[in-house]
Amino acid sequence: MPRPATHIFRLLKWGRTLARHGALRGIERDPNTPAAVKRLARIARFGTFQPVIPDYAGAFKDIGPAAIKLGQTLATRPDLVGEVAANNLLTLQDSLPPVPFSEIEASIAATFDKPLSELFQHIDPEPVGAASIAQVHRAVTSDGRQVAVKVLRPGIRERFARDINTYEWAAAHLEALGSDEARRLRPQLTIANFKRWTNRELDLRREAASASELAEAMKGFAGYRVPAVDWDRTNGRVMTIEWIDGIKISKVEELRAKGHDLPALANRLVLAFLTQAISGGYFHADMHQGNLFVEDDGTIVAIDFGIMGRIDRRARVWLAEILYGLTTGNYRRVAEIHFEAKYVPSYHSVDEFATALRAVGEPMRGKPVSELSVGQMLDGLFAITRDFDMQTQPHLLLLQKTMVMVEGIATQLNPQINMWDTSAPYVRGWVRDELGPEAALADAIRENFSTLLRLPDLLRRVEVQFPAKGGAPEPPPLPEIELIVGPTARKGRSWLSYLLPALVGAGLALGGMALWN
């Protein structure tokens, strides 16, 4: 493990990069920042010139690949970094200069332990995309199929491991400073989740498996699909998938010129996300504009499955009820769910929390996204989290991040879209089907029958744990004797526990002196 001095040196180095972009000013001015962190920020910026307008995205890009991924994660946490920083980080593009093709070619050949000519007829030396973790090249397989080949950057796993190790160290010390705000925001859990996400991205076999799983889950959803994986040309460092010919969903004018129905695309994208997150509990969590294409027939095609989110059924039920309550204005039920889920401590008032939710929710209902002030909405939501001691829920961070992305793309396609109206019919139907009387009865029958089937095995395990008595009589109870030596001795044992080893040591010393003489 690196020494503390190594972590401090890295943090100061990164701090100077942040300072050169003016990104430390908010940390120093925030009243919730611990004094020790403010002192470290002042040391890091000493002697640097800070621009008037901070460029958080530029700072994270200059620090390196792991920081780019961390910055994209923090873009969904205005409660942690502030609204201005979060908005700026939303512009952070995950792009870096490409690795020379000779290195990429050597890496592919090494991972498959065979010459490239056996795998591909041709690989274009110019990448179609170069991100912080990998870059993508267009290729033709040996059997003539058009594919995209994604290859990890050489040495990227080691670099991520080093940087994340320092993130973990810094997060642990931030919480140890004793700040109530730090404990509520739980930076250690945030970094732990970030580490899991990036570790998945750094194994391209898992990304391929994620693409395959999502394709299977979305098979019945018309107008949305996932490219097929070429498993014979995929391993931990290389992933090969079907090549997609389409228009990036961000190129609105090109889509319009092709005759695509933009409002219909926006609605379908929102419903595809809800289908993944609420119905399946498994969703594409990196739905930014560069990862979505529209084919000639209007089908939305998703790529890049390095970051995927999962939500268990109980959390999905709560999420659906929260969305349904907000769309119908049932703030009392939304408040109750927050208490049932333990998101809000029980010593607060459900009625007070419902009123606070109403203050945030009512101005949004019935209006298109273009007429809403996202800044005011976020200010209201995060004021509630502080007022009601709501801790960060790391398992929902990916969901929050993806919702922000989907809303942004949908708004670009259709500035007049109303997210509530678009979501309401789907959520209403899911709640009716999953939480209605018939569904409750079916769940009860299934769970109770499953419990009955497990009873014989449970009884057998009880017998193993508590066997029948043997022929020997039960031993009498033995007195408890306080030991002065051995692993069970108490820390505050008597002077005898110290005298005995001292006598033994003295004897050994005298014996050694006698032998020496």
Side-chain angles (χ1 to χ4, degrees):
M1 294 291 288
R3 294 176 299 175
T6 302
H7 293 306
I8 293 171
F9 175 77
R10 286 177 190 162
L11 291 170
L12 288 172
K13 180 182 175 183
W14 297 338
R16 289 192 71 77
T17 303
L18 291 167
R20 287 196 298 271
H21 289 79
L24 290 181
R25 192 179 296 115
I27 294 175
E28 291 188 55
R29 292 177 179 175
D30 191 335
N32 294 311
T33 302
V37 177
K38 289 184 179 181
R39 283 194 295 271
L40 192 63
R42 292 190 191 103
I43 294 171
R45 70 168 172 80
F46 182 76
T48 62
F49 172 76
Q50 296 194 82
V52 176
I53 300 176
D55 181 13
Y56 301 95
F60 277 77
K61 188 170 183 178
D62 285 353
I63 290 172
I68 291 173
K69 290 294 182 185
L70 180 62
Q72 291 177 326
T73 301
L74 294 176
T76 64
R77 297 295 309 277
D79 57 328
L80 193 60
V81 299
E83 183 190 334
V84 174
N87 288 337
N88 183 263
L89 287 171
L90 285 172
T91 68
L92 183 59
Q93 297 299 311
D94 189 3
S95 60
L96 289 175
V99 174
F101 182 66
S102 58
E103 295 182 33
I104 293 296
E105 192 174 27
S107 179
I108 298 174
T111 56
F112 286 105
D113 196 24
K114 62 176 65 176
L116 290 184
S117 58
E118 293 185 22
L119 299 168
F120 303 100
Q121 292 181 18
H122 172 73
I123 300 180
D124 190 344
E126 290 296 318
V128 294
S132 57
I133 285 179
Q135 61 191 57
V136 180
H137 292 257
R138 187 170 186 173
V140 180
T141 63
S142 54
D143 55 357
R145 289 177 292 107
Q146 296 282 333
V147 294
V149 182
K150 184 174 184 177
V151 188
L152 289 184
R153 288 175 173 267
I156 194 65
R157 287 177 174 173
E158 295 74 18
R159 185 169 181 181
F160 262 75
R162 183 199 68 190
D163 289 357
I164 290 175
N165 191 259
T166 296
Y167 297 162
E168 290 174 322
W169 186 88
H173 283 77
L174 183 61
E175 287 195 26
L177 291 173
S179 163
D180 291 339
E181 188 72 356
R183 282 194 296 270
R184 187 181 69 83
L185 297 175
R186 300 200 280 187
Q188 280 186 276
L189 279 175
T190 299
I191 296 300
N193 275 307
F194 172 71
K195 183 177 182 178
R196 283 200 299 274
W197 304 338
T198 53
N199 283 344
R200 285 201 293 264
E201 282 194 89
L202 291 165
D203 184 349
L204 296 185
R205 277 172 304 209
R206 293 184 66 178
E207 179 174 346
S210 297
S212 175
E213 185 176 351
L214 186 64
E216 189 175 310
M218 295 296 287
K219 195 179 296 182
F221 189 96
Y224 181 98
R225 76 180 188 89
V226 173
V229 176
D230 184 341
W231 287 103
D232 293 333
R233 294 168 179 81
T234 294
N235 59 36
R237 293 182 177 272
V238 179
M239 183 180 74
T240 304
I241 63 170
E242 165 194 1
W243 178 262
I244 299 300
D245 280 316
I247 302 172
K248 279 189 178 181
I249 204 165
S250 59
K251 297 181 177 180
V252 176
E253 293 306 319
E254 288 187 34
L255 293 173
R256 188 175 285 116
K258 274 276 189 178
H260 291 294
D261 185 340
L262 300 190
L265 284 175
N267 286 356
R268 194 183 322 137
L269 180 65
V270 173
L271 293 177
F273 165 68
L274 291 172
T275 299
Q276 294 173 35
I278 295 180
S279 291
Y282 185 64
F283 61 94
H284 185 199
D286 202 14
M287 274 201 249
H288 64 71
Q289 297 170 342
N291 287 341
L292 295 168
F293 292 81
V294 180
E295 294 181 312
D296 288 344
D297 64 354
T299 299
I300 297 173
V301 184
I303 63 169
D304 196 350
F305 306 95
I307 306 177
M308 303 296 292
R310 288 190 188 274
I311 319 174
D312 64 29
R313 190 177 186 281
R314 185 172 59 172
R316 281 186 280 138
V317 168
W318 284 330
L319 173 64
E321 285 203 84
I322 287 171
L323 290 174
Y324 184 61
L326 290 173
T327 58
T328 58
N330 189 352
Y331 299 107
R332 169 74 189 194
R333 180 58 190 147
V334 175
E336 289 172 349
I337 294 165
H338 278 76
F339 280 78
E340 290 171 14
K342 304 289 191 291
Y343 294 156
V344 179
S346 58
Y347 54 78
H348 283 289
S349 163
V350 175
D351 293 325
E352 287 294 330
F353 188 64
T355 302
L357 286 170
R358 181 181 294 273
V360 177
E362 279 301 298
M364 298 188 296
R365 294 182 62 221
K367 291 184 179 179
V369 175
S370 58
E371 294 181 16
L372 295 176
S373 168
V374 177
Q376 290 180 0
M377 180 186 71
L378 290 176
D379 279 346
L381 285 173
F382 292 123
I384 288 177
T385 64
R386 286 193 177 93
D387 292 346
F388 289 87
D389 303 316
M390 291 173 63
Q391 287 190 321
T392 296
Q393 303 300 324
H395 67 290
L396 297 179
L397 290 181
L398 275 181
L399 181 72
Q400 177 187 347
K401 168 191 170 187
T402 309
M403 289 175 75
V404 171
M405 289 180 175
V406 170
E407 182 184 52
I409 297 171
T411 306
Q412 279 195 336
L413 293 170
N414 178 17
Q416 297 304 311
I417 190 172
N418 184 298
M419 297 296 287
W420 300 122
D421 291 346
T422 304
S423 306
Y426 175 86
V427 176
R428 187 184 304 116
W430 192 87
V431 169
R432 182 185 62 245
D433 294 341
E434 295 294 322
L435 303 181
E438 299 89 348
L441 181 60
D443 284 345
I445 292 172
R446 183 174 60 251
E447 289 180 12
N448 292 336
F449 187 66
S450 176
T451 301
L452 285 173
L453 290 178
R454 292 197 303 271
L455 277 178
D457 182 60
L458 177 62
L459 292 174
R460 282 191 289 270
R461 283 186 281 128
V462 169
E463 273 194 332
V464 171
Q465 188 69 29
F466 303 101
K469 293 181 180 181
E474 291 285 337
L478 300 176
E480 291 187 8
I481 306 297
E482 184 178 337
L483 302 176
I484 63 170
V485 292
T488 60
R490 294 190 307 165
K491 288 183 179 179
R493 53 186 180 258
S494 69
W495 59 272
L496 288 173
S497 64
Y498 299 97
L499 177 61
L500 181 60
L503 290 174
V504 173
L508 290 174
L510 289 172
M513 290 171 65
L515 290 173
W516 182 262
N517 293 327

